Amino acid sequence: SKNPLGFIAFFHTEDIAEIIGCDDYLGSDKVIDKCGICGGDNTACKVVSGVFKHTLTNLGYHKIVEIPEGATKINITEMSKSNNYLALRSRSGRSIINGNWAIDRPGRYEGGGTMFTYRRPNEISSTAGESFLADGPTNEVLDVYMIHQQPNPGIHYEYIIPGDNVISPQLLAHRRPGEPFNGQLGMPESTSHEDEDLHRETDILTGQSAGTFPVIQPGRFPSHQPENQVPAMQPPRQNREYNWKQVGKTECTTTCGKGSQYPIFHCVNRITHEEVPEGYCDSSTKPIPEEEACNLFPCPAFWDIGEWSECSKTCGLGMQHRQILCRQIYANRTLTVQQYRCQHLEKPDTTSTCQLKICSEWQIRTEWTSCSVPCGVGQRTRDVKCVSNLGDVVDDEECNMKLRPNDIENCDMGPCAKSWFLTEWSDRCSAECGDGIRTRSVVCMTNHVSSLPLEGCGNNRPSETTPCNNGPCAGKVDWFAGGWTQCSTECGSGTQQREVICVRKTEGNFDVLSPYECSYLEKPPSQQSCYLKPCGSKWFHTEWSTCSKSCEGGFRVREVRCLSDDMAASTQCDPQLKPEEKELCNTQDCVPEIDENCKDKYYNCNVVVQARLCVYTYYKTACCASCTRVANRQPGFLGHR
């Protein structure tokens, strides 16, 4: 392909009316797509991205993602700051970043045919996580790992790989204009799309060209003069009295470990070697400074100190560890070397004690209680609390549960002996006359006092009754009770009555007497409660409350509850039979009380009302009628001052 711009190479750029496309042709509208292809349609590459969010349990290296050969625009970023670290190694086993339990410093590291930028934001002022960035392309498969020390916050990964049937960007980058490719010559107006497949990397995140692969740039002309074009003008020959001279070199970029420097050229007088302004020399003949290696000797070895691990205990005295490696820098790479090379330096500690906070401890707050039983085996308790170092009671989980003192234990009060316990005989005989009985209570109980080896009360229960007789009953006055009537209700609690009369017993007969004759005797009850069967749940209600208003319609309320036979709250009542809980009352109109003495003493009492002076006693009296009317219309208008 010939360069169509040769004949205007020395015209001012403002004279160029048309733009130059990415294919170096004037007036071309071709642009580089996101895949780096000049005139491409964004289909020649594939963006691979995702987030590694797996929950990890074991400490150490865990593989996150595999970066294939030929990947570009590589971005591995931790989604938030953590105590974890990213690591990178090749399939051949060579560690590139953070390998062998050594934490590298942020910087640039070569690996896989590209240069990786390792970033670790400031641990205090930033919340961003670590990241690996590289333009690529890679020339081998690389594996990304995470050194897991705490919960994974998520790792975002992204890279670009060529699509199917994509022309290698390296081959196109080094092809000169006009040079055949695969036996074909790329022409500017060719219908072939090979030129559109130039693979030039585009930053997916920013949309700006990263310039990863070399492409044909405007101004790079072929070595031979294009045909049918005006020859380029030659610049005027400068006075040969002045020439370029090397006057020194730049400082070495490093003090050790292989740096780089460049020669410095100044314009000087050829005879006197005196420096003159650069305009005296021909700029086209100025030598291009070439990089030179310098300070090739290795840098002194140093101890590379890793991060401390988490404390082995959340409270109290624990231990933490860190990795210490002897490292040496050469050619901008940090290498791990034998430890004897750092013997001139004091080796930092690899272990240290740590204490996040003082542990809480168990405290026994009370003595043991008395045993729960007077005899036999029972239990006793005491109060045990977990107390912080500030004296506050905290959750038991903050103390070591294995060291918790017992707060309950068994207690043995000795064997229990049993015997019959008796009350005294009752004083009264069951019959006022004739044969009757006297009673006493008999119960088998534990004997708390006796130490006799009794094994139980046995079957010989003492008698609870004994006979008694208060003499013959002839002519004696007494109350006589008849039979009970049936219960007043069919279910639930009711009442029943019986006839009680005063009689005198004679030989074979009873004479009815006046109740007065038996008044000195205790009269038997003539009424008692009765209960035939349970009724189930029923509605109960209180009395109505006082009406809220005395006229013009108020309301009154009562409480309604559903209760079972034992008077406990129940939900078994029929909702349709529930009594009303609220009703209207005093619906009659209010009849105002007319006070004959309430009159306006002044003709302009309306002014008093408008000025809201009725709250004052003087005006309320002087303009009684007006103030009363407005008070009836606006409740709460009048007050007291």
Side-chain angles (χ1 to χ4, degrees):
S1 171
K2 297 181 179 181
N3 187 352
L5 300 181
F7 71 97
I8 59 169
F10 294 97
F11 282 76
H12 197 276
T13 56
E14 293 181 356
D15 296 331
I16 302 176
E18 297 184 79
I19 61 173
I20 301 174
C22 62
D23 54 359
D24 291 346
Y25 287 97
L26 182 66
S28 171
D29 60 352
K30 290 186 178 181
V31 295
I32 296 176
D33 68 357
K34 70 175 184 180
C35 303
I37 305 300
C38 181
D41 59 357
N42 297 322
T43 61
C45 65
K46 179 181 179 182
V47 179
V48 179
S49 64
V51 178
F52 180 85
K53 286 188 175 180
H54 295 290
T55 300
L56 306 175
T57 55
N58 298 330
L59 298 178
Y61 286 82
H62 294 266
K63 184 175 177 181
I64 296 175
V65 67
E66 174 184 297
I67 302 176
E69 181 180 354
T72 59
K73 263 325 183 204
I74 302 165
N75 184 341
I76 312 295
T77 302
E78 193 178 26
M79 298 182 72
S80 64
K81 182 170 65 177
S82 71
N83 288 335
N84 303 326
Y85 295 92
L86 298 174
L88 185 67
R89 65 177 293 177
S90 67
R91 277 295 169 87
S92 62
R94 185 175 74 86
S95 174
I96 301 173
I97 302 175
N98 292 347
N100 301 319
W101 290 100
I103 306 303
D104 294 316
R105 288 180 170 81
R108 291 171 60 81
Y109 295 87
E110 186 277 329
T114 185
M115 188 68 68
F116 281 86
T117 300
Y118 175 37
R119 294 176 180 172
R120 185 163 67 239
N122 186 285
E123 295 183 356
I124 298 177
S125 61
S126 175
T127 59
E130 297 189 349
S131 64
F132 293 157
L133 302 175
D135 288 330
T138 56
N139 60 8
E140 62 176 321
V141 178
L142 302 177
D143 290 325
V144 180
Y145 290 82
M146 181 175 69
I147 306 177
H148 175 247
Q149 296 191 116
Q150 73 173 63
N152 172 27
I155 308 296
H156 176 266
Y157 59 87
E158 182 174 283
Y159 56 84
I160 298 176
I161 57 176
D164 296 335
N165 302 321
V166 176
I167 299 173
S168 171
Q170 289 90 342
L171 293 177
L172 289 176
H174 294 89
R175 180 167 61 94
R176 293 183 178 181
E179 180 180 352
F181 180 72
N182 289 340
Q184 297 181 6
L185 184 65
M187 300 299 293
E189 301 299 326
S190 172
T191 57
S192 172
H193 293 284
E194 290 182 7
D195 288 343
E196 298 180 3
D197 290 335
L198 280 171
H199 192 95
R200 188 165 185 259
E201 184 72 2
T202 301
D203 192 327
I204 299 303
L205 298 180
T206 63
Q208 298 176 352
S209 173
T212 303
F213 307 119
V215 295
I216 304 170
Q217 298 292 338
R220 293 186 181 177
F221 307 136
S223 58
H224 58 278
Q225 185 70 24
E227 299 177 2
N228 303 323
Q229 292 183 6
V230 179
M233 294 177 57
Q234 295 294 330
R237 184 176 182 82
Q238 296 289 332
N239 192 334
R240 304 303 292 173
E241 183 181 352
Y242 304 98
N243 203 355
W244 297 101
K245 177 184 178 182
Q246 180 176 344
V247 296
K249 297 181 179 180
T250 61
E251 290 188 8
C252 192
T253 55
T254 60
T255 58
C256 59
K258 188 182 180 182
S260 59
Q261 60 184 178
Y262 297 86
I264 301 174
F265 296 97
H266 284 175
C267 184
V268 299
N269 187 295
R270 291 174 59 88
I271 300 175
T272 64
H273 297 283
E274 180 183 0
E275 292 188 12
V276 296
E278 292 191 355
Y280 284 85
C281 292
D282 185 355
S283 60
S284 64
T285 63
K286 183 177 181 179
I288 299 176
E290 295 185 358
E291 180 182 1
E292 300 177 8
C294 56
N295 293 339
L296 301 179
F297 54 90
C299 293
F302 63 94
W303 290 113
D304 197 349
I305 304 173
E307 302 288 339
W308 284 111
S309 66
E310 293 185 358
C311 195
S312 60
K313 294 185 178 180
T314 57
C315 68
L317 196 61
M319 296 293 295
Q320 55 185 171
H321 308 271
R322 64 181 177 184
Q323 185 80 11
I324 304 296
L325 294 177
C326 184
R327 308 271 273 177
Q328 208 164 6
I329 298 176
Y330 183 75
N332 291 328
R333 291 187 59 190
T334 304
L335 307 176
T336 303
V337 296
Q338 297 294 329
Q339 291 197 3
Y340 74 85
R341 297 194 183 183
C342 293
Q343 61 186 2
H344 63 288
L345 300 172
E346 181 180 358
K347 185 176 182 180
D349 293 331
T350 58
T351 61
S352 174
T353 58
C354 54
Q355 180 170 301
L356 299 179
K357 64 177 180 178
I358 300 176
C359 290
S360 302
E361 62 180 3
W362 295 108
Q363 283 189 6
I364 299 174
R365 293 297 187 93
T366 62
E367 297 295 331
W368 287 109
T369 61
S370 57
C371 198
S372 60
V373 295
C375 63
V377 178
Q379 288 184 328
R380 61 178 185 171
T381 60
R382 63 181 177 181
D383 192 17
V384 177
K385 297 293 185 184
C386 179
V387 180
S388 70
N389 61 307
L390 301 178
D392 299 326
V393 176
V394 295
D395 293 337
D396 286 359
E397 288 73 14
E398 293 198 19
C399 288
N400 190 341
M401 297 299 292
K402 295 181 180 179
L403 302 179
R404 190 179 194 277
N406 289 334
D407 59 354
I408 185 171
E409 68 177 11
N410 292 336
C411 50
D412 191 349
M413 299 300 291
C416 295
K418 293 183 178 180
S419 59
W420 293 110
F421 284 75
L422 315 171
T423 63
E424 296 295 332
W425 291 111
S426 61
D427 293 333
R428 293 183 58 183
C429 188
S430 62
E432 294 291 337
C433 59
D435 295 329
I437 59 171
R438 288 195 296 166
T439 60
R440 66 179 177 184
S441 297
V442 179
V443 62
C444 179
M445 294 181 62
T446 300
N447 185 353
H448 303 309
V449 180
S450 175
S451 60
L452 296 175
L454 302 178
E455 296 182 355
C457 296
N459 297 323
N460 297 325
R461 181 185 182 91
S463 175
E464 294 179 284
T465 62
T466 186
C468 58
N469 193 307
N470 287 332
C473 296
K476 189 163 184 164
V477 176
D478 202 354
W479 291 106
F480 176 81
W484 290 105
T485 63
Q486 65 179 7
C487 194
S488 61
T489 59
E490 294 182 358
C491 65
S493 298
T495 57
Q496 54 186 169
Q497 287 80 28
R498 66 179 177 181
E499 190 77 23
V500 179
I501 57 175
C502 182
V503 298
R504 177 185 291 116
K505 185 178 180 182
T506 60
E507 290 295 334
N509 293 313
F510 288 96
D511 296 330
V512 179
L513 304 177
S514 168
Y516 173 78
E517 299 292 335
C518 295
S519 59
Y520 67 94
L521 299 172
E522 183 180 0
K523 184 178 181 180
S526 59
Q527 179 176 303
Q528 69 177 10
S529 60
C530 53
Y531 185 91
L532 296 180
K533 63 179 180 179
C535 294
S537 300
K538 290 170 122 182
W539 290 111
F540 287 76
H541 60 79
T542 62
E543 297 290 340
W544 286 109
S545 67
T546 304
C547 193
S548 62
K549 294 175 67 176
S550 60
C551 58
E552 291 188 350
F555 66 90
R556 58 181 183 175
V557 295
R558 63 181 175 183
E559 188 175 0
V560 178
R561 292 186 183 179
C562 178
L563 302 176
S564 60
D565 287 315
D566 58 357
M567 296 297 108
S570 173
T571 59
Q572 302 301 316
C573 297
D574 187 352
Q576 295 182 350
L577 300 179
K578 183 178 180 180
E580 294 294 333
E581 296 180 282
K582 181 178 180 181
E583 71 175 9
L584 300 177
C585 55
N586 294 338
T587 57
Q588 71 278 7
D589 294 335
C590 294
V591 179
E593 296 182 3
I594 301 174
D595 186 356
E596 296 294 338
N597 297 322
C598 182
K599 300 179 180 179
D600 288 344
K601 298 180 180 180
Y602 300 99
Y603 68 92
N604 58 345
C605 281
N606 61 322
V607 178
V608 173
V609 173
Q610 293 174 358
R612 297 182 180 272
L613 299 177
C614 289
V615 295
Y616 296 99
T617 305
Y618 171 77
Y619 292 105
K620 188 176 181 180
T621 303
C623 297
C624 181
S626 297
C627 287
T628 300
R629 281 196 300 272
V630 73
N632 289 334
R633 291 196 303 270
Q634 303 177 15
F637 179 82
L638 296 179
H640 297 283
R641 290 291 180 98

